Amino acid sequence: MRDALVDARGLSCPMPIVKTAQAVKTLASGQRIEVWATDPGSVKDFAAWSKATGNPIVEQSVDGGVFRFVLARK
Amino acid sequence: MDEPLNLVLFSGTDDKLQAAAVLAAGAAALGRPVNVFLQYWALDAFRTARIGRDHGLAPEAGPEGRAHVVALASAGQQPWAEILRQAKEIGSVDIQACSLSMDLLAIEQSDLDPLVDGVEGVTAFYLSAGAGQIVFV
């Protein structure tokens, strides 16, 4: 279940994070955002961003070169 | 992560401005304040009439480097000015023109793109920079 989707496939660093940071601002606490990204730096970048901002990653997977993250707004 | 990231942009080629915009946007996404001080050729690239132009690449790029840069742009990489605009939307990114460089290049604030928040001297920049590191690009 998600409240927002960021399709960042094809975007290079740091745009997947920038788009996600923009979208998270529109969510209420506890709402979830799903992100699709192809930037190979995404796994480490989303882990770092989650840690720094306190918005937890609740699901994470990779399928055919597409990284998928579900984050909750803290 | 509250120490600001302080970027002094001197070079006006698109590769260096792109790399600087990525650093600024990454810091902004982490909630870190960013201060950008524009000098010399970087300031020249922020003129409204020139910001969208091809500003070339650093000499070490060569023809092969240019081909890689063109390929990434064709694949949809956002230009540096757009990355900076989005960085401003998500965080605190203050972009100031160096007053000495404004004089040197005979630039008025009205000549500059709205990304530029104001004009200041180096002392004011140091005050904003506080104890944070200063990165020169």
Side-chain angles (χ1 to χ4, degrees):
Chain A
M1 199 194 73
R2 68 186 186 216
D3 301 290
L5 172 68
V6 171
D7 183 357
R9 289 175 298 175
L11 297 181
S12 45
C13 174
M15 298 319 290
I17 292 283
V18 168
K19 299 275 184 203
T20 302
Q22 280 171 342
V24 161
K25 280 187 166 185
T26 68
L27 299 181
S29 179
Q31 285 191 308
R32 292 181 173 199
I33 185 166
E34 182 166 341
V35 185
W36 300 338
T38 48
D39 171 26
S42 298
V43 173
K44 285 189 177 174
D45 275 0
F46 275 89
W49 186 77
S50 168
K51 191 175 170 190
T53 60
N55 301 303
I57 297 176
V58 293
E59 279 179 55
Q60 184 173 343
S61 60
V62 57
D63 182 17
V66 178
F67 303 100
R68 180 180 154 273
F69 306 92
V70 178
L71 297 111
R73 178 159 190 180
K74 72 168 176 184
Chain B
M1 289 297 261
D2 289 326
E3 287 296 342
L5 170 68
N6 305 299
L7 296 172
V8 177
L9 306 189
F10 173 90
S11 299
T13 55
D14 284 322
D15 49 357
K16 294 198 180 186
L17 292 167
Q18 191 80 25
V22 168
L23 289 173
L30 291 172
R32 204 172 155 191
V34 181
N35 298 305
V36 180
F37 193 53
L38 302 174
Q39 297 185 315
Y40 286 77
W41 324 122
L43 175 61
D44 194 69
F46 277 78
R47 291 181 196 248
T48 309
R50 299 184 183 172
I51 196 163
R53 277 193 196 168
D54 182 342
H55 298 96
L57 301 175
E60 60 264 42
E64 191 186 335
R66 168 158 284 280
H68 289 303
V69 168
V70 169
L72 195 55
S74 307
Q77 187 189 36
Q78 310 251 21
W80 54 265
E82 178 58 22
I83 294 178
L84 287 175
R85 197 184 62 71
Q86 298 203 25
K88 285 190 152 202
E89 280 179 19
I90 56 167
S92 163
V93 179
D94 186 59
I95 303 182
Q96 295 288 329
C98 160
S99 55
L100 172 64
S101 298
M102 295 285 282
D103 281 346
L104 174 84
L105 300 170
I107 297 175
E108 303 289 332
Q109 195 172 349
S110 58
D111 297 332
L112 294 171
D113 186 90
L115 277 172
V116 182
D117 297 290
V119 179
E120 69 183 18
V122 71
T123 311
F125 174 71
Y126 278 131
L127 194 69
S128 310
Q133 275 191 322
I134 294 179
V135 179
F136 186 89
V137 182

